[in-house]
Amino acid sequence: MWFPSLSKFGANLLLLLWLISAAIAKGEAGEFALVDNCPAGFKINEQSVCKLDSLYNHYGSPHNSGVGGPRAGLPELRDGFSPQVIDLGRYLFFDPLLSGDNTMACSSCHDPDHGFADGRGRAVGINGVSLDRSAPSLWNIGFFDTLLWDGSKASLETQLLGPLYASNEMGNTPEQLLEDLSSNETYLRLFSDAFGTPNISLNQVYAALSAFEASLISLNSRYDFYAHGLHNSLSPSELEGLNVFRSFVSRCGECHTPPLFSNQEIAIIGVPEPEGRPFDPGAGATSGIPSQHGGFRVPSLRNIAKTAPYMHQGNFKTLRDTVAFYNGGRGHAVPKDENLLIHWHIWEPNLRDEELDRLVDFLHALTDEGFMPRIPERVPSGLTPGRVINDQKLTSRSQ
């Protein structure tokens, strides 16, 4: 009686193992599903949308805490998306299907391995075309209402239209984008799950991408622990650098205002262009305001140690080179034939080399990627998710 029983047990065990194996295989290669929980740093509210949950929500206005004060509040975040819409945006962000020839994703220029930039002085678009400016980091981009290097866009939804449809960036058209997504059964299902409608609209695409980008939150660096009261979180050299940063001598905090580390304004600082490159008129070219000629949006310094080279055309290779530029004197690098209204806070601080080194130490304390989203290994189109690897975009079709 024992042997037949054992044989039956063995057969059942083999069947169970086969079912588990099949389930795992289906999970790895089968259907895509959207999550129903918010990204890290967010909490779902009674309306079933994700809202940022940060200690900075309880701090006051930047205007009542002193220059560069740590207990300042954040600008309003572009949040309030459902978990499903955010997760759909995550897939779209990494999917080369969004480009005209299926070779580029948003992540091809905004790679998480490069601080959601691409590590290049000038971004590379479709067909390997070099663009005029670098790809800025997207960390905390949901707090910004002054977007792009020239500050010409005010919302994530309007900003992303440029990269999607520019012939030298992702090279798509609204008609082609909608057709490609609507002919994909997986995307039809995911859009239905996220928005509750049977058809895909372009506004839904823009909303999902904006939702994902706005979820890229970095507010837990060692500086933030210091700002919240854990004063030992900064090393002595970093604390010295913070004091230099906040001082009325260097004036760093007057434009790179904590906690966003940007005041979102257009600043003209007279950065030298890389050798052989023409002068970039910046915001003046798009706004038509003569006083903004040569001006650029003040970028956030969050995760700045991850996004070299620096400035709008990768003008400086290192952070040390960058801070040294500010120490060089007002307008010292402006071309002779350019008449720029240099920002009022640019002067000659005459910082010592040691103080410049401490500034760099402090900037490294702004690194935090603890809320890095889950990077998809597969995307619904079947294409290889777009990434920057060894200065080459890996966006070829999956084998």
Side-chain angles (χ1 to χ4, degrees):
M1 295 295 293
W2 171 252
F3 292 102
S5 171
L6 179 61
S7 177
K8 183 177 180 181
F9 173 80
N12 289 337
L13 179 60
L14 288 174
L15 177 61
L16 178 61
L17 291 174
W18 180 86
L19 290 172
I20 293 174
S21 161
I24 292 174
K26 182 178 180 181
E28 290 177 346
E31 292 186 350
F32 290 83
L34 301 178
V35 301
D36 56 7
N37 56 286
C38 294
F42 291 80
K43 283 188 176 180
I44 198 162
N45 66 8
E46 295 179 354
Q47 288 73 43
S48 298
V49 298
C50 300
K51 302 293 288 184
L52 181 68
D53 183 31
S54 168
L55 286 176
Y56 284 113
N57 292 352
H58 306 290
Y59 297 158
S61 165
H63 302 295
N64 60 22
S65 58
V67 175
R71 292 300 177 94
L74 285 162
E76 184 177 354
L77 177 67
R78 178 72 173 92
D79 59 4
F81 299 99
S82 73
Q84 293 81 8
V85 170
I86 296 172
D87 203 35
L88 173 60
R90 180 176 65 93
Y91 284 122
L92 291 170
F93 185 86
F94 288 92
D95 200 331
L97 186 69
L98 271 64
S99 64
D101 63 358
N102 294 348
T103 63
M104 293 208 52
C106 302
S107 55
S108 299
C109 287
H110 300 284
D111 190 329
D113 288 342
H114 294 269
F116 282 97
D118 63 3
R120 298 184 173 102
R122 294 163 59 203
V124 175
I126 197 168
N127 297 322
V129 175
S130 292
L131 306 182
D132 289 334
R133 296 170 184 157
S134 63
S137 170
L138 296 183
W139 280 115
N140 292 334
I141 198 63
F143 292 109
F144 279 81
D145 56 17
T146 304
L147 298 166
L148 300 179
W149 276 110
D150 60 8
S152 60
K153 303 300 179 184
S155 73
L156 292 173
E157 287 87 346
T158 57
Q159 178 277 321
L160 59 84
L161 300 181
L164 279 174
Y165 303 133
S167 60
N168 62 343
E169 294 193 49
M170 296 178 73
N172 213 336
T173 65
E175 297 77 17
Q176 185 65 49
L177 175 59
L178 198 57
E179 179 181 342
D180 287 345
L181 290 172
S182 298
S183 61
N184 182 292
E185 293 184 2
T186 301
Y187 270 126
L188 281 172
R189 176 173 55 81
L190 294 181
F191 271 84
S192 176
D193 292 344
F195 293 101
T197 56
N199 300 314
I200 298 175
S201 73
L202 289 173
N203 284 337
Q204 291 171 350
V205 177
Y206 308 151
L209 285 170
S210 299
F212 172 70
E213 291 180 2
S215 74
L216 301 175
I217 299 298
S218 177
L219 295 173
N220 291 309
S221 68
R222 284 181 293 106
Y223 163 80
D224 296 296
F225 296 147
Y226 173 86
H228 299 327
L230 299 176
H231 292 169
N232 291 333
S233 63
L234 292 180
S235 70
S237 65
E238 292 165 347
L239 189 55
E240 290 179 29
L242 172 59
N243 290 333
V244 175
F245 183 90
R246 294 182 60 189
S247 73
F248 285 101
V249 177
S250 73
R251 298 183 174 181
C252 303
E254 294 178 13
C255 284
H256 296 285
T257 311
L260 188 60
F261 285 89
S262 170
N263 62 6
Q264 305 202 51
E265 295 180 1
I266 299 297
I268 303 171
I269 61 177
V271 174
E273 303 295 4
E275 185 175 357
R277 293 290 298 161
F279 181 80
D280 190 331
T286 51
S287 70
I289 301 174
S291 62
Q292 291 188 341
H293 182 68
F296 296 90
R297 184 199 68 176
V298 176
S300 173
L301 299 181
R302 295 281 182 168
N303 290 313
I304 193 69
K306 305 282 290 186
T307 60
Y310 302 106
M311 302 296 187
H312 60 279
Q313 290 190 28
N315 312 59
F316 302 114
K317 292 182 179 181
T318 68
L319 285 173
R320 185 58 167 76
D321 294 338
T322 307
V323 298
F325 159 77
Y326 287 97
N327 208 39
R330 182 179 180 86
H332 71 277
V334 175
K336 293 181 179 180
D337 57 345
E338 293 291 342
N339 183 23
L340 304 184
L341 297 177
I342 302 295
H343 195 278
W344 64 270
H345 87 282
I346 299 293
W347 66 311
E348 296 183 19
N350 294 319
L351 297 175
R352 303 187 311 273
D353 284 346
E354 179 184 359
E355 291 173 307
L356 296 178
D357 291 337
R358 298 295 78 76
L359 265 178
V360 173
D361 290 340
F362 169 67
L363 294 176
H364 279 266
L366 297 177
T367 301
D368 161 47
E369 297 180 317
F371 287 169
M372 179 70 74
R374 185 166 58 89
I375 311 304
E377 296 181 0
R378 301 180 301 118
V379 287
S381 67
L383 299 168
T384 300
R387 302 294 294 275
V388 177
I389 298 179
N390 295 327
D391 204 38
Q392 299 294 322
K393 294 187 292 298
L394 180 61
T395 51
S396 59
R397 188 176 296 273
S398 295
Q399 300 300 316

